[in-house]
Amino acid sequence: IKDISLMTGIKTEDIISTLQSLNMIRFWKGQHVVFVMQDFLKKYMSEQKRKKKKLRLCDGKYLSWVPHAERKKGGGGGGGSD
């Protein structure tokens, strides 16, 4: 979770909260563990389709993002103002 936070710039508390709301996290031996089963993903996707909610899937080749800490080091990138 810490690695995800560092890579995305999303606070660990927000990641944990989101994973908990999706029942995708367990606390095991003093640590949070991401737990995702394939059937859970299939069920989630079918429920969203049944509710007629459009899933927004992104193709990574169209995304360009630099974490805030890296922008400070590299002198720019990622758009927006600091």
Side-chain angles (χ1 to χ4, degrees):
I1 292 173
K2 185 176 178 182
D3 290 340
I4 294 170
S5 176
L6 291 172
M7 290 185 317
T8 62
I10 299 171
K11 292 177 15 177
T12 55
E13 295 86 358
D14 293 337
I15 294 169
I16 291 168
S17 175
T18 300
L19 291 172
Q20 285 174 333
S21 71
L22 295 170
N23 291 323
M24 296 173 68
I25 193 166
R26 305 283 191 267
F27 197 72
W28 185 66
K29 293 187 178 183
Q31 294 186 353
H32 287 98
V33 179
V34 177
F35 178 78
V36 183
M37 295 186 63
Q38 192 67 29
D39 59 335
F40 170 80
L41 292 177
K42 288 179 184 177
K43 180 181 174 188
Y44 181 80
M45 299 284 275
S46 67
E47 286 176 2
Q48 298 306 307
K49 192 178 255 186
R50 183 176 47 88
K51 293 177 183 178
K52 299 193 189 302
K53 288 188 176 183
K54 185 174 181 169
L55 294 174
R56 296 180 183 177
L57 302 176
C58 297
D59 188 338
K61 68 183 178 183
Y62 297 110
L63 300 176
S64 175
W65 183 78
V66 178
H68 183 71
E70 293 296 319
R71 283 185 273 170
K72 293 265 185 196
K73 288 184 213 170
S81 60
D82 290 347

